Amino acid sequence: MRVLVTGGAGFIGSHVVKALADSGHEPVVYDVRADPAADVRDPDAVRRALAGVDAVCHQAAMVGLGTGFADAPEYVSRNDLGTAVLLAAMAEAGVRRLVLAGSMVVYGEGRYTCPRHGDVRPGPRAVPDLEAGRFEPRCPSCGSALSPGLVTEDAPTDPRNVYAATKLAQEHLAASWARVTDSQAVSLRYHNVYGPGMPRDTPYAGVASFFRSALARGEAPRVFEDGRQRRDFVHVRDVARANLAALESPPPPGTILALNTGSGDPHTVGEMAHALAAAYGGPTPVTTAEYRLGDVRHITADSARLRAELGWKPEVSFEEGMREFAREE
């Protein structure tokens, strides 16, 4: 297949391009990093890029929490307007296969169980609780301590920051496109992706990148809250292979299939910081009790559907991935 990869010069996109080429496909990179004219919001440029294309891997996006709500127009423009322009051009060109870079952030908080009320959905954490170091959500009905678990694709969505809202909107746009054009779409809801080529030292980088940059400066990684927040860290090469599997085994026409894309091996942020510091040989991480509004406490994936539907499974272990990431120049 000839596959257009938007954001193909970026962190995840470049690994998708390599995975496609290694499997005998023909990737076409469309990215403003490689060509300033390759803006996904430019209808004419997108139409030209789609010539002769069989499918699209849509990786282009503005990511992370950014610097505040002032970023909202730019997030909406790049993520949602850009996706709408791309899908309209695909409809016009007759390109009927899409893999979307989705995100676990659409869920908000993960899955929680109360000993009295079963599965519950705690609301956003209150500032007074965060200031006092009470980081764990409580049962909204009785205030009891909750047990976090794995979130499945049928969980209600609850985006809690601008980036999350735009990622959910992308899925809705793709679902509408698939229905109207009788096309095939997969949204891979990425969990915490890390690995070679990860952006450094920007407000839009991931926590693993911040920790590695601190170690490179000879500083101890600063871990927010108490370091016990749970995440699913998944290696970028495994994510690239998931994109390949989604392209080669699409769902029925007229549908979108949302699939959690995680390692299935949850770790706390503190564990990740210590593993990275040990692999790097740098200072021991420090826990700061600082917090960011919009962050959720626990969000970890049940990726069983991805394994069942596409036959995918992760190949890079947490320990191996952290050692490699720590050594990257």
Side-chain angles (χ1 to χ4, degrees), residues 46 50 55-56 85-98 177 181:
V46 172
L50 285 169
V56 173
V85 169
L86 173 66
L87 293 173
M90 290 174 67
E92 180 182 328
V95 180
R96 297 288 183 259
R97 191 172 294 186
L98 171 73
W177 164 83
T181 62

Side-chain angles (χ1 to χ4, degrees), residues 210-222 277 280 282-286:
F210 284 126
F211 290 166
R212 186 184 59 183
S213 293
L215 290 165
R217 296 191 300 267
E219 301 171 1
R222 296 174 59 83
Y280 194 89
T284 300
V286 296

Side-chain angles (χ1 to χ4, degrees), residues 183-234:
S183 297
Q184 301 161 296
V186 177
S187 177
L188 296 174
R189 290 178 174 170
Y190 300 159
H191 280 246
N192 290 73
V193 186
Y194 74 98
M198 193 173 189
R200 300 173 185 246
D201 303 321
T202 82
Y204 311 97
V207 65
S209 181
F210 284 126
F211 290 166
R212 186 184 59 183
S213 293
L215 290 165
R217 296 191 300 267
E219 301 171 1
R222 296 174 59 83
V223 181
F224 279 15
E225 301 187 16
D226 58 4
R228 297 175 185 169
Q229 53 272 49
R230 296 171 75 245
R231 297 291 187 270
D232 186 323
F233 299 99
V234 58

Side-chain angles (χ1 to χ4, degrees), residues 95-323:
V95 180
R96 297 288 183 259
R97 191 172 294 186
L98 171 73
V99 177
L100 174 67
S103 175
M104 56 85 179
V105 295
V106 301
Y107 297 117
E109 285 284 355
R111 178 175 175 266
Y112 292 89
T113 303
C114 170
R116 289 179 57 190
H117 296 97
D119 287 351
V120 296
R121 299 280 297 176
R125 296 179 292 171
V127 170
D129 285 338
L130 295 170
E131 290 285 351
R134 295 188 293 268
F135 301 118
E136 293 290 345
R138 311 291 289 190
C139 176
S141 298
C142 67
S144 295
L146 300 174
S147 299
L150 300 180
V151 64
T152 59
E153 291 88 349
D154 56 1
T157 53
D158 184 18
R160 296 193 175 180
N161 56 58
V162 171
Y163 171 63
T166 65
K167 296 307 289 183
L168 184 56
Q170 283 185 310
E171 285 195 2
H172 289 318
L173 288 166
S176 177
W177 164 83
R179 285 191 298 270
V180 169
T181 62
D182 200 33
S183 297
Q184 301 161 296
V186 177
S187 177
L188 296 174
R189 290 178 174 170
Y190 300 159
H191 280 246
N192 290 73
V193 186
Y194 74 98
M198 193 173 189
R200 300 173 185 246
D201 303 321
T202 82
Y204 311 97
V207 65
S209 181
F210 284 126
F211 290 166
R212 186 184 59 183
S213 293
L215 290 165
R217 296 191 300 267
E219 301 171 1
R222 296 174 59 83
V223 181
F224 279 15
E225 301 187 16
D226 58 4
R228 297 175 185 169
Q229 53 272 49
R230 296 171 75 245
R231 297 291 187 270
D232 186 323
F233 299 99
V234 58
H235 197 275
V236 67
R237 287 197 297 273
D238 286 330
V239 167
R241 290 192 307 101
N243 275 267
L244 181 63
L247 276 173
E248 293 179 339
S249 301
T255 61
I256 183 170
L257 179 63
L259 296 171
N260 287 335
T261 307
S263 69
D265 182 25
H267 290 269
T268 68
V269 173
E271 286 172 343
M272 187 269 286
H274 281 274
L276 194 56
Y280 194 89
T284 300
V286 296
T287 303
T288 68
E290 296 173 82
Y291 63 89
R292 295 191 306 178
L293 287 176
D295 273 350
V296 297
R297 179 62 174 174
H298 303 296
I299 177 68
T300 52
D302 183 341
S303 298
R305 187 177 295 176
L306 177 58
R307 290 163 170 76
E309 296 279 347
L310 303 184
W312 171 94
K313 63 179 180 179
E315 295 181 350
V316 183
S317 70
F318 177 78
E319 294 75 17
E320 175 191 354
M322 287 298 157
R323 287 194 298 268

